[in-house]
Amino acid sequence: MPEPRLLSSAGFTNQEKMGEITNVMEYQAIAKQKLPKMVYDYYASGAEDEWTLNENREAFSKILFRPRILIDVSKIDMTTTVLGFKISMPIMIAPTAMQKMATPEGEYATARAASAAGTIMTLSSWATSSVEEVASTGPGIRFFQLYVYKDRNVVEQLVRRAERAGFKAIALTVDTPRLGRREADIKNRFVLPPYLTLKNFEGLDLGKMDKSNDSGLASYVAGQIDRTLSWKDVKWLQSITSMPILVKGVITAEDARLAVHSGAAGIIVSNHGARQLDYVPATISALEEVVTAAQGRIPVYLDGGVRRGTDVFKALALGAAGVFIGRPVVFALAAEGEAGVRNVLRMLREEFELTMALGGCTSLADITRSHIFTEGDRLGRPLPRL
Ligand code: FNR
């Protein structure tokens, strides 16, 4: 018996309208159709020439596999622990701001989908749902992404609220003393729609974004975000919270060493989805130097351009302890709400599992540097452990 089909008002199933979704990238075109231009452009765009935006994907495509064969791959274990928390797979959700622009459920939908998949959601400081609201969606391991405001009382209050609401770690974003130049947002005069607020700041009178002759977000950042932020503030943050701190936005060995010395619990190699400084390398290209500099003393994670299970495998082979995804979540939210995010996490999980099987790995510990080769390797750097 065929399954009963849920028909939308136009007489088509959602799947017929959208065609079968077979990979996470397909949600982008659907989101583009469904969203107002200002919102789609905000989610999709990168800084200036978008060289890094393109490179975040391109660099993955230049890493090739050295799969191992005749290994029993009938059982595959993708579980891992992040800062001591056990999750179902090394694929987590990066903080992306203002998710209610994509769908009315916004961050709630993301929180529920992450929890159903047994993985971690990172909530943005600039979410359109508060830390308390997201906590009320039910159990789940959640991290809180922090932007440091000039007014440190605001920061202290927010960090305490996140901790009280059960958030388990802070992802301190360190690549945004000013907002990158996102030309689409400038042209569109991007501003948070008036029916929404940056919920975490509502009671502090910082929840609204004024229209400006520029990107409204760029003006908001210029007014509120603390450009003086430096390594000593990592110590300050440690003095006001017992949550572990992940430094999000490291892309050099020098800063990886400083992060270790600052007492950070981990590093997220990130170029902010190519939305800040253009012409920085793809994160997957910067990963290995950061991993080497961290010397195994703290875990290193990666975000930026992860769209396939093969990308997850490549990042782990280069030493990442896990990855985060950004845009796929907002595009899937726009297309299908919570079901879309669930589907994104399911597809990436299945692709990653298949990559492990075809690569000859049955647990994350089996994934080694020898399972891949990079352009650098091909250009004469000796292959590791041949
Ligand atoms: C972001 N990112 C981000 N980072 C952060 O620390 N705080 C934030 O509020 C946001 N907001 C945000 C909005 C949107 C629409 C995007 C696309 C990105 C960056 C994000 O956490 C992550 O670093 C990148 O999105 C990862 O790259 P991909 O997966 O989008 O390629």
Side-chain angles (χ1 to χ4, degrees), residues 42-43 56 94-97 124-126 145 147 173 248 270 272-273 275 303-307 324-328 330:
Y42 169 69
Y43 288 156
N56 269 357
T96 51
S124 166
S125 275
W126 294 336
Q145 176 270 327
Y147 281 127
T173 300
K248 175 177 185 281
S270 173
H272 211 116
R275 295 157 77 81
D303 73 27
V306 175
R307 303 291 181 269
F324 292 83
I325 52 167
R327 290 182 186 79
V330 285

Side-chain angles (χ1 to χ4, degrees), residues 152-188:
R152 294 300 172 94
N153 289 325
V154 166
V155 181
E156 269 193 63
Q157 281 187 47
L158 189 55
V159 168
R160 297 231 161 85
R161 278 170 54 201
E163 196 159 3
R164 232 177 296 131
F167 283 71
K168 301 296 186 207
I170 295 285
L172 175 67
T173 300
V174 295
D175 56 16
T176 311
R178 298 172 57 175
L179 202 73
R181 190 174 167 80
R182 307 164 192 175
E183 292 181 3
D185 293 351
I186 297 168
K187 285 191 208 300
N188 295 332

Side-chain angles (χ1 to χ4, degrees), residues 63-92:
I63 300 173
L64 304 180
F65 289 120
R66 301 180 68 248
R68 302 300 309 278
I69 52 162
L70 290 176
I71 291 166
D72 176 354
V73 291
S74 57
K75 288 196 191 71
I76 289 186
D77 180 7
M78 288 180 282
T79 60
T80 189
T81 56
V82 170
L83 304 180
F85 298 98
K86 186 156 187 188
I87 54 174
S88 66
M89 58 180 176
I91 304 165
M92 298 167 278

Side-chain angles (χ1 to χ4, degrees), residues 363-376:
S363 74
L364 304 190
D366 286 350
I367 301 174
T368 68
R369 182 64 173 81
S370 312
H371 285 92
I372 57 159
F373 61 103
T374 64
E375 277 211 313

Side-chain angles (χ1 to χ4, degrees), residues 61-330:
S61 74
K62 293 186 181 138
I63 300 173
L64 304 180
F65 289 120
R66 301 180 68 248
R68 302 300 309 278
I69 52 162
L70 290 176
I71 291 166
D72 176 354
V73 291
S74 57
K75 288 196 191 71
I76 289 186
D77 180 7
M78 288 180 282
T79 60
T80 189
T81 56
V82 170
L83 304 180
F85 298 98
K86 186 156 187 188
I87 54 174
S88 66
M89 58 180 176
I91 304 165
M92 298 167 278
I93 295 185
T96 51
M98 305 176 233
Q99 295 182 357
K100 282 192 179 173
M101 296 192 305
T103 181
E105 290 279 284
E107 293 82 7
Y108 306 145
T110 306
R112 292 192 187 106
S115 165
T119 194
I120 292 165
M121 169 198 186
T122 315
L123 184 72
S124 166
S125 275
W126 294 336
T128 37
S129 314
S130 66
V131 285
E132 293 84 6
E133 287 170 331
V134 169
S136 76
T137 60
I141 304 158
R142 300 186 185 106
F143 294 170
F144 180 69
Q145 176 270 327
L146 184 67
Y147 281 127
V148 177
Y149 280 52
K150 290 176 184 168
D151 183 344
R152 294 300 172 94
N153 289 325
V154 166
V155 181
E156 269 193 63
Q157 281 187 47
L158 189 55
V159 168
R160 297 231 161 85
R161 278 170 54 201
E163 196 159 3
R164 232 177 296 131
F167 283 71
K168 301 296 186 207
I170 295 285
L172 175 67
T173 300
V174 295
D175 56 16
T176 311
R178 298 172 57 175
L179 202 73
R181 190 174 167 80
R182 307 164 192 175
E183 292 181 3
D185 293 351
I186 297 168
K187 285 191 208 300
N188 295 332
R189 304 275 185 267
F190 172 78
V191 75
L192 182 67
Y195 64 95
L196 293 172
T197 49
L198 303 178
K199 267 282 173 147
N200 288 314
F201 299 97
E202 199 176 42
L204 300 159
D205 248 9
L206 293 165
K208 289 286 179 192
M209 206 179 283
D210 296 328
K211 261 190 179 310
S212 80
N213 268 344
D214 189 338
S215 148
L217 185 60
S219 305
Y220 181 87
V221 169
Q224 302 304 334
I225 298 301
D226 190 350
R227 291 183 192 181
T228 73
L229 194 72
S230 69
W231 286 107
K232 72 177 180 342
D233 296 306
V234 178
K235 292 259 180 268
W236 169 76
L237 198 55
Q238 283 165 341
S239 77
I240 65 161
T241 181
S242 55
M243 285 185 282
I245 297 164
L246 297 172
V247 180
K248 175 177 185 281
V250 171
I251 46 171
T252 61
E254 294 89 322
D255 284 334
R257 283 191 282 271
L258 290 170
V260 171
H261 286 132
S262 75
I267 289 171
I268 305 175
V269 174
S270 173
N271 53 33
H272 211 116
R275 295 157 77 81
Q276 287 298 108
L277 181 61
D278 200 14
Y279 296 97
V280 294
T283 48
I284 193 67
S285 307
L287 176 61
E288 203 165 22
E289 76 167 69
V290 172
V291 167
T292 306
Q295 292 182 311
R297 289 165 66 185
I298 54 175
V300 176
Y301 304 94
L302 169 137
D303 73 27
V306 175
R307 303 291 181 269
R308 285 283 190 189
T310 51
D311 300 335
V312 182
F313 187 109
K314 289 170 184 177
L316 267 59
L318 285 166
V323 302
F324 292 83
I325 52 167
R327 290 182 186 79
V329 171
V330 285

